[in-house]
Amino acid sequence: TYAKISLDLQPLMDILKDPNERQGYAWIRMRISRMWSRWTDAVKSLMSKYSFRNRPKQKILVHLGLLSKQSGWKFAEMQFKGGPLGELVQWSDLITTLYILGHDLTITSEVEQLVEILNHVPAARTPCQSRKELPVQMIYTDIMGLIQFKKRLKVGYAKFSCLFRVLDSFGTEPAFNHRVFAKQNKILTSWGGQDLNLQQFYTMFPHSPDNSFMGFVVDRILNDTERSAEPKRNIALVYGKNDYMWQGKRSYLDSIHARFEVHGTVYRENNKNLVNVPEYVVNHGILSGLDLHELLQKTKVFVGLGFPYEGPAPLEAIANGAVFLNPLFTPPHSSKNTKFFKGKPTQREITSQHPYAEVFIGKPYVYTINISNKTEVEQALDVIAQQTNFSSYVPYEYTEEGMLQRMKAYIENQKFCSHQESAHEKWPPAESVTHILGEAGKSCKDACWDIQKICEPNHFAELNTVQGIANVTWCSSLTQSSNIYYPAVEAKEKVCTKQAEPRLFSCVGSMHALRRLCPCRDFIPGQTALCVGCD
Ligand code: UDP
């Protein structure tokens, strides 16, 4: 059967009823209802541009491991009490996307529900047969959920593993994903070693092309043309839901207070006093989505404190015409020097609180500054305080339409199970890819970006052959090795090295003196995940 676009909200709300009374889905339901009309407008707009016919209807299981009792994270309990919401933003938008695109959804968040579904799986006879009998064709979960699956699956995890799409905010790099390699190099952590296809990890921002960029939708109550926006007032709104995030920032906040009325949305547990929030701050407590956006409409500057990393809120502020003050990190934060990133399966270095805002958006919407440098802070604040015109901006890939376009393409074209692969239908297609020789010391991610292209890990294999290498460079000799730096050529002696382990193909691997051989693809402006013609 084929998938039909669904424009009716009620059946989705019924799927999201709370069977376990923990109100786990309450915040998700609120977000989906609030944004519903925008979603339906977006899909109608897409339908006027593309054919939505003949799309196979997929049976999809969505398992939110983060909400399970077993996770011990209390996401469900904390959703209205200052707990992290970025993940719930992403789950809400994923669920909405899959539903609107017309697929058949089952949503679970408790291990018992999962076990019940999986118990109905008939025992496998041959690998081929068993797959046809699976109750679902795709499984969206998170790493917590994945670990729960592995523990409970009676009929064997291996045959399910190609069905997974794993929501992984910060991303997983090849060296950490490959269990044996990670162990040998002493970087195996409880989040890594999953041995999946790296494109099965779906990230919140386009960190590295090794993973799939899933993203989310930037919520906004109005845009410049829909209604005349609320006039700006002289307000600075501080980004920090919890008192501890404000610690040690007094002098920075004082500079802001000298020019703006300072507001906050800080959670107060049992009305306890806030010790780190200055007395001059107008605190609203945690606000509902609508109230927060009304406040952002009146806000001139949204003030980053350095934590939380890479959340949705700065993009919402920019979408409401506020300038984001983005703390610069020198040196960058990473698993090497920052507790928060310890154990995360990535060596990525975070150059500021919000690298996406820094790199992909920038001035006049984002000022990335050293917040301990008073002069630098005051200069930026003076420019913003004198500004009379505040325009809003949402990158296309963070709109409802952009997310629907991207996810539709993934669902139809990403094939992770070996029985689905076929030589002719490689995606993205070879025509969108060029092979290049990067500069010494550069990763393929950076080498491709330098020529306005994106590293395309699905096309390393063709490059990693005697002929493929010869097309790009001359070699004095050819060897092979299993490490994230290959294929590459050594800059001086011209010794070429092939990749011996396809699961270690990496866009981010780099080593000085090595020139990487890189597959780079083109992309749709505003939609970096898709090649030109891949929409
Ligand atoms: N948010 C909210 N009320 C508030 C503060 C934040 O509804 O008082 C929402 C905000 O609009 C955003 C989400 O919480 O969509 C996540 O915010 P943040 O960037 O702080 O990320 P987190 O650290 O929670 O993952």
Side-chain angles (χ1 to χ4, degrees):
T1 57
Y2 291 113
K4 272 214 240 67
I5 297 297
S6 344
L7 299 173
D8 186 5
L9 175 60
Q10 195 51 49
L12 177 56
M13 289 295 114
D14 294 341
I15 300 175
L16 286 167
K17 271 204 203 110
D18 257 300
N20 42 29
E21 303 296 327
R22 285 175 68 234
Q23 285 299 315
Y25 305 142
W27 197 89
I28 292 181
R29 284 198 304 266
M30 276 176 56
R31 177 172 167 95
I32 296 177
S33 319
R34 180 174 75 246
M35 294 169 61
W36 188 252
S37 65
R38 221 190 274 281
W39 279 105
T40 55
D41 288 349
V43 78
K44 285 178 199 159
S45 158
L46 273 184
M47 286 163 85
S48 67
K49 297 176 196 164
Y50 304 102
S51 161
F52 274 71
R53 291 203 190 149
N54 299 333
R55 291 175 305 123
K57 184 172 183 153
Q58 306 285 347
K59 273 183 152 215
I60 300 178
L61 174 60
V62 178
H63 177 63
L64 294 81
L66 80 167
L67 290 183
S68 65
K69 281 195 288 294
Q70 284 82 353
S71 76
W73 285 335
K74 302 208 181 320
F75 265 92
E77 289 75 6
M78 294 303 289
Q79 52 189 320
F80 298 105
K81 298 184 180 173
L85 292 172
E87 286 80 358
L88 295 182
V89 165
Q90 210 184 5
W91 283 105
S92 309
D93 298 347
L94 169 66
I95 290 168
T96 313
T97 301
L98 300 175
Y99 174 78
I100 290 194
L101 291 176
H103 298 293
D104 182 357
L105 294 191
T106 304
I107 300 178
T108 64
S109 57
E110 295 298 345
V111 175
E112 299 79 44
Q113 300 170 310
L114 204 62
V115 170
E116 186 160 321
I117 294 172
L118 299 174
N119 278 347
H120 292 301
V121 180
R125 268 161 291 178
T126 70
C128 237
Q129 236 174 348
S130 62
R131 225 172 247 122
K132 287 195 194 115
E133 293 160 11
L134 287 181
V136 292
Q137 291 150 319
M138 280 182 195
I139 304 168
Y140 289 85
T141 189
D142 45 24
I143 296 186
M144 176 53 64
L146 190 68
I147 294 169
Q148 295 172 343
F149 267 97
K150 281 190 182 174
K151 257 197 194 151
R152 316 280 158 147
L153 261 172
K154 295 217 173 82
V155 285
Y157 164 78
K159 70 168 187 170
F160 277 99
S161 66
C162 66
L163 307 182
F164 284 109
R165 276 84 176 138
V166 181
L167 272 64
D168 176 16
S169 311
F170 295 94
T172 294
E173 291 178 358
F176 293 82
N177 174 58
H178 192 294
R179 180 169 277 272
V180 172
F181 183 86
K183 224 178 189 164
Q184 281 166 356
N185 289 276
K186 302 198 168 55
I187 53 169
L188 184 63
T189 68
S190 52
W191 301 116
Q194 303 298 348
D195 277 329
L196 293 176
N197 178 326
L198 281 149
Q199 300 270 306
Q200 286 177 272
F201 295 101
Y202 279 34
T203 59
M204 188 131 170
F205 291 93
H207 303 309
S208 152
D210 286 320
N211 301 139
S212 299
F213 162 54
M214 179 169 102
F216 58 94
V217 169
V218 174
D219 187 9
R220 60 226 180 272
I221 45 173
L222 25 91
N223 66 29
D224 295 345
T225 52
E226 276 168 6
R227 239 201 287 167
S228 65
E230 283 248 13
K232 289 286 178 201
R233 291 184 26 207
N234 202 40
I235 291 178
L237 177 60
V238 177
Y239 177 28
K241 281 185 286 210
N242 306 100
D243 187 52
Y244 74 86
M245 297 170 181
W246 297 59
Q247 202 177 354
K249 301 291 185 298
R250 181 73 199 219
S251 138
Y252 172 50
L253 291 165
D254 286 348
S255 303
I256 297 164
H257 180 228
R259 294 159 181 81
F260 297 92
E261 193 180 303
V262 184
H263 290 238
T265 57
V266 192
Y267 178 64
R268 280 175 67 187
E269 201 186 351
N270 306 323
N271 279 335
K272 265 199 250 158
N273 281 343
L274 301 172
V275 291
N276 297 302
V277 178
E279 61 299 335
Y280 51 72
V281 173
V282 184
N283 185 21
H284 301 264
I286 298 298
L287 293 176
S288 74
L290 196 64
D291 291 339
L292 179 68
H293 287 81
E294 266 163 13
L295 181 58
L296 284 171
Q297 282 283 316
K298 292 183 268 188
T299 298
K300 284 190 181 171
V301 54
F302 190 60
V303 178
L305 296 172
F307 192 84
Y309 300 113
E310 307 189 304
L315 296 188
E316 294 168 6
I318 297 162
N320 283 300
V323 175
F324 176 48
L325 224 47
N326 183 29
L328 178 77
F329 299 150
T330 30
H333 294 188
S334 72
S335 54
K336 273 190 231 137
N337 60 13
T338 310
K339 196 166 159 231
F340 180 87
F341 289 106
K342 285 249 150 63
K344 298 230 172 7
T346 174
Q347 268 166 351
R348 193 162 60 90
E349 301 203 316
I350 282 84
T351 48
S352 63
Q353 183 174 6
H354 209 293
Y356 182 88
E358 177 189 349
V359 176
F360 290 86
I361 304 182
K363 279 181 187 165
Y365 306 102
V366 179
Y367 284 71
T368 300
I369 54 165
N370 176 356
I371 63 169
S372 359
N373 181 332
K374 207 172 167 66
T375 324
E376 202 178 327
V377 170
E378 291 183 342
Q379 268 171 5
L381 290 172
D382 287 337
V383 173
I384 300 163
Q386 281 156 24
Q387 209 169 306
T388 48
N389 217 349
F390 289 83
S391 54
S392 58
Y393 174 63
V394 184
Y396 180 74
E397 55 199 4
Y398 282 99
T399 62
E400 288 82 357
E401 196 178 313
M403 179 150 179
L404 284 163
Q405 182 193 56
R406 181 168 64 249
M407 293 303 290
K408 173 181 182 287
Y410 284 165
I411 292 169
E412 289 166 22
N413 297 296
Q414 282 186 328
K415 308 261 155 73
F416 302 122
C417 296
S418 50
H419 69 285
Q420 297 169 326
E421 270 170 24
S422 127
H424 331 284
E425 38 178 281
K426 195 153 194 155
W427 193 80
E431 303 84 75
S432 63
V433 179
T434 328
H435 294 166
I436 67 155
L437 182 62
E439 283 169 37
K442 272 207 177 161
S443 69
C444 284
K445 178 186 164 185
D446 293 341
C448 292
W449 192 244
D450 285 347
I451 54 162
Q452 278 94 54
K453 288 184 190 284
I454 303 272
C455 173
E456 181 45 75
N458 282 328
H459 285 268
F460 267 117
E462 305 93 272
L463 179 52
N464 193 47
T465 58
V466 175
Q467 190 54 51
I469 293 175
N471 288 344
V472 181
T473 185
W474 178 84
C475 310
S476 61
S477 65
L478 180 64
T479 81
Q480 59 171 357
S481 174
S482 303
N483 211 323
I484 53 168
Y485 317 115
Y486 310 115
V489 54
E490 188 273 321
K492 265 202 193 132
E493 308 292 329
K494 309 281 183 233
V495 176
C496 293
T497 308
K498 263 174 66 172
Q499 177 60 264
E501 166 55 281
R503 281 186 303 146
L504 289 174
F505 282 134
S506 165
C507 288
V508 295
S510 72
M511 189 157 65
H512 64 117
L514 277 190
R515 300 186 67 181
R516 302 255 355 235
L517 274 58
C518 309
C520 306
R521 71 161 162 81
D522 54 21
F523 60 90
I524 303 172
Q527 183 71 286
T528 46
L530 302 181
C531 71
V532 176
C534 288
D535 47 340

